[in-house]
């Protein structure tokens, strides 16, 4: 695709964001005097300055006085929880290639670098705030030219596109799923998370970043339409089945934020109990299109929320309906109201059955076991959204990753198959009885599982295994037996997605100098390889908007 098609977008993005991938501790601006300049650049004896002072001198200009992010990403514990301490220290000392992040090995002593690395992983005191006024002030919007034609700038099937998130340098590639050629490549916000979400017509895609930014991108015209910062640390976003609403799940602040399709803020919800005495981080939000609602899981409170975007939604009665004072029985509107399902344990992530009547959720261990006690174990449960009650425990050992589960028909019933973060197996559950029908061995713990209606196979990785992260296991859905493996020796091979027709399966070589590998889904042979910068995920437009049984929400 000619460079002219996406260069204006890239220039606009760089001007808007001054994109700094990774931990972009940008060098401080030149000081006004020679003495100040020398003090800023000369090595300083260990212990003579506090990490807070070092941060203000060298980092605050790009990452904000409260570490909430400016040109560079936020440096908060919630943002860095998946970054190893050794990597934080390495970036401080060495910087990152192809970014504005320079290294500080010649500026800071080893002790100062280590202290700064520890400090940015500690909570900010006082805790930073991000309210509705901040959200509204952060929004940007670029209207389309009035005479612009409503058609793509490229020649490809708009329903067989792949959006490929490249975590290595924080870019997104738009891939033609028929020719397996890159149509365009553009810069993204730092650390996209939770998977992009598409409008029902497939034209627009919404990206969510860990730093709380939601970006609406026009896949046809190859440009950003709107952006807003929903929070300081965000888990994921969901788009309503009618394409009119967008909802964001935040860790910080502890809120759920609702927007219209142009990313105008509609309202925020405090992630708290009804009496307001306890609050929670928000684990995830997904759209339940047949129910015309968003379903929200709270990480620290044992509640599951359903927020309807149906104007005809039934009213909500919280509390004691027969209270003689009627104070707790007065209904609140069901339209965009919170309908709470009480649970015994919080849900970390979840999955819907095909009817969207049930939520299948996993609960992670909440803390370390006491000395001498057995280690805490993850659990899984089934919640009926109509009855608003847990109806079953799922017999899954280890740590199920239900957010990447798939469903398919098997011997007259529908089954769920889920990868497992804590063990080398895939559990297959009958969704009528909620009993295990098969435990399928894999070489090691996995994170992603995918299939498609047009293929008899399901693919799962073992990317959490130190010895088998290079292996994909192919399972026959008819026999529930592993039948083949594909490998990328010594590398991480993960995250399968299928073309619209299910004929080809695309896998990620999950490395900075990685690739997309295209396999024939029948013969399992490699047919093409495209170099990519750590392609952490790829998402087919058709499979996502039609809610293929083999893909995630």
């Amino acid at each position: 695709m000619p460079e002219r098609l996406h260069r204006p977008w890239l220039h606009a993005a760089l001007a808007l964001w001054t994109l700094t991938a990774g931990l972009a501790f940008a060098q401080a601006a030149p000081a006004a005097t020679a003495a100040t300049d020398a003090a800023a650049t000369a090595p300083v004896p260990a212990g003579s300055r506090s990490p807070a002072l070092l941060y203000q001198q060298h980092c605050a200009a790009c990452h904000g006085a409260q570490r909430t992010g400016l040109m560079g990403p936020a440096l908060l514990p919630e943002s860095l929880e998946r970054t190893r301490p050794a990597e934080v220290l390495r970036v401080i000392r060495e910087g990152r290639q192809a970014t504005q992040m320079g290294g500080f090995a010649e500026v800071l002593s080893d002790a100062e670098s280590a202290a700064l690395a520890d400090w940015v992983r500690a909570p900010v005191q006082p805790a930073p705030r991000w309210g509705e006024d901040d959200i509204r002030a952060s929004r940007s919007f670029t209207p389309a030219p009035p005479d612009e034609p409503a058609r793509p700038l490229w020649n490809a099937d708009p329903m067989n596109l792949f959006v490929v998130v490249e975590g290595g340098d924080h870019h997104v590639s738009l891939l033609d799923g028929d020719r397996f050629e890159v149509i365009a490549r553009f810069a993204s916000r730092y650390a996209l998370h939770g998977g992009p979400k598409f409008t029902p017509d497939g034209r627009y895609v919404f990206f969510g970043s860990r730093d709380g930014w939601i970006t609406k991108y026009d896949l046809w015209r190859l440009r950003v339409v709107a952006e807003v910062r929903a929070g300081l640390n965000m888990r994921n976003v969901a788009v309503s089945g009618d394409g009119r609403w967008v909802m964001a799940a935040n860790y910080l602040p502890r809120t759920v934020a609702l927007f219209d399709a142009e990313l105008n803020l509609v309202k925020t919800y405090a992630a708290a109990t009804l009496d307001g005495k306890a609050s929670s981080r928000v684990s995830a939000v997904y759209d339940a299109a047949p129910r015309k609602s968003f379903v929200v899981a709270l990480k620290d409170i044992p509640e599951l929320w359903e927020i309807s975007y149906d104007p005809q939604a039934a009213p909500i009665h919280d509390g004691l309906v027969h209270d003689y004072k009627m104070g707790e029985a007065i209904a609140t509107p069901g339209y965009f109201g919170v309908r709470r399902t009480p649970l015994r344990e919080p849900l970390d992530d979840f999955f819907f059955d095909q009817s969207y009547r049930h939520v299948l959720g996993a609960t992670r261990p909440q803390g370390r076991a006491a000395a001498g006690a057995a280690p805490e174990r993850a659990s899984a449960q089934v919640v009926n959204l109509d009855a608003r009650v847990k109806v079953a425990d799922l017999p899954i050992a280890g740590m199920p990753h239900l957010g990447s589960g798939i469903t398919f028909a098997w011997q007259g019933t529908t089954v769920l198959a889920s990868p497992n973060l804590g063990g080398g197996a895939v559990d297959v559950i009958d969704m009528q009885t909620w009993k295990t029908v098969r435990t399928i061995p894999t070489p090691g713990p996995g994170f992603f599982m995918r299939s498609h209606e047009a293929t008899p196979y399901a693919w799962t990785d073992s990317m959490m295994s130190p010895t088998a992260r290079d292996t994909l296991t192919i399972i026959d859905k008819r026999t529930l037996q592993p039948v083949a493996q594909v490998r990328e020796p010594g590398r991480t091979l993960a995250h399968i997605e299928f073309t619209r027709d299910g004929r080809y399966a695309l896998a990620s070589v999950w490395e900075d100098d990685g690739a997309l590998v295209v396999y024939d889904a029948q013969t399992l042979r490699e047919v093409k390889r495209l170099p990519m910068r750590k392609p952490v995920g790829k998402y087919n437009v058709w499979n996502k908007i039609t809610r293929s049984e083999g893909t995630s929400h």
Side-chain angles (χ1 to χ4, degrees), residues 59-135:
C59 316
C62 285
H63 298 278
Q66 284 198 297
R67 293 158 39 200
T68 56
L70 290 172
M71 294 189 305
L75 299 177
L76 302 168
E78 296 87 349
S79 303
L80 300 175
E81 65 178 359
R82 296 194 179 186
T83 304
R84 295 178 179 178
E87 175 65 7
V88 176
L89 179 60
R90 186 195 68 79
V91 173
I92 292 174
R93 295 192 57 75
E94 301 177 14
R96 280 189 182 272
Q97 294 182 354
T99 75
Q100 296 182 23
M101 175 60 204
F104 284 80
E106 297 182 1
V107 178
L108 305 177
S109 68
D110 290 348
E112 287 174 330
S113 295
L116 184 57
D118 289 339
W119 189 78
V120 298
R121 296 178 65 88
V124 174
Q125 297 295 338
R129 298 178 179 273
W130 194 255
E132 291 190 349
D133 289 343
D134 300 301
I135 295 173

Side-chain angles (χ1 to χ4, degrees), residues 15-34:
L16 176 64
W17 302 338
T18 317
L19 180 69
T20 47
L23 300 170
F25 287 81
Q27 300 280 4
T33 65

Side-chain angles (χ1 to χ4, degrees), residues 140-411:
S140 62
F141 178 73
T142 305
D147 57 347
E148 181 179 71
R151 62 174 182 268
L153 291 170
W154 32 262
N155 182 24
D157 178 0
M159 292 291 105
N160 198 28
L161 299 177
F162 288 83
V163 169
V164 185
V165 176
E166 297 184 63
D169 61 354
H170 307 281
H171 277 67
V172 174
S173 286
L174 186 62
L175 181 71
D176 180 341
D178 293 309
R179 293 186 287 265
F180 301 117
E181 296 174 355
V182 174
I183 294 172
R185 189 173 190 267
F186 48 90
S188 76
R189 286 282 179 178
Y190 169 73
L192 300 186
H193 179 65
K197 302 298 189 296
F198 301 93
T199 53
D201 61 0
R203 175 170 178 174
Y204 299 100
V205 62
F206 293 86
F207 299 102
S209 79
R210 286 199 177 275
D211 279 358
W213 286 97
I214 307 174
T215 303
K216 181 180 182 180
Y217 188 80
D218 187 341
L219 294 174
W220 289 10
R221 308 305 295 182
L222 302 177
R223 63 157 179 256
V224 170
V225 174
E227 273 203 317
V228 71
R229 193 174 193 183
L232 300 177
N233 184 265
M234 186 170 68
R235 303 310 295 170
N236 73 323
V237 297
V239 176
S240 63
D242 58 10
R244 296 181 58 197
W245 311 105
V246 179
M247 184 165 278
N250 287 322
Y251 260 28
L252 184 69
R254 296 183 168 198
T255 59
V256 180
L258 176 67
F259 302 86
D260 67 17
E262 302 302 334
L263 298 183
N264 293 292
L265 180 65
V266 177
K267 66 182 298 185
T268 59
Y269 302 78
T273 52
L274 186 61
D275 60 11
K277 293 182 178 179
S279 66
S280 175
R281 297 166 291 175
V282 184
S283 298
V285 57
Y286 295 120
D287 175 55
R291 305 177 65 87
K292 298 182 180 179
S293 66
F294 294 109
V295 178
V296 181
L298 305 180
K299 194 173 185 70
D300 308 302
I301 294 175
E303 291 183 357
L304 187 69
W305 289 6
E306 185 170 16
I307 300 175
S308 177
Y309 50 82
D310 182 357
Q312 305 303 316
I316 298 170
H317 294 270
D318 283 316
L320 301 174
V321 175
H322 298 292
D323 177 13
Y324 75 97
K325 295 180 181 179
M326 295 299 291
E328 292 180 284
I330 298 174
T332 57
Y335 185 48
F336 289 131
V338 176
R339 193 177 301 274
R340 301 167 188 262
T341 295
L343 305 172
R344 296 187 65 179
E345 295 178 291
L347 296 184
D348 186 75
D349 201 0
F350 63 92
F351 183 77
F352 295 107
D353 69 352
Q354 292 176 332
S355 71
Y356 282 79
R357 292 182 60 239
H358 294 98
V359 161
L360 291 70
T363 296
R364 301 286 179 254
Q366 298 299 303
R368 295 182 179 180
E376 291 191 54
R377 299 180 61 185
S379 61
Q381 56 188 299
V382 182
V383 179
N384 186 302
L385 290 173
D386 293 333
R388 297 168 61 191
V389 66
K390 187 184 86 168
V391 295
D393 289 304
L394 289 178
I396 301 177
M399 192 176 293
H401 190 220
L402 290 172
S404 288
I406 63 171
T407 61
F408 54 91
W410 179 77
Q411 294 189 3

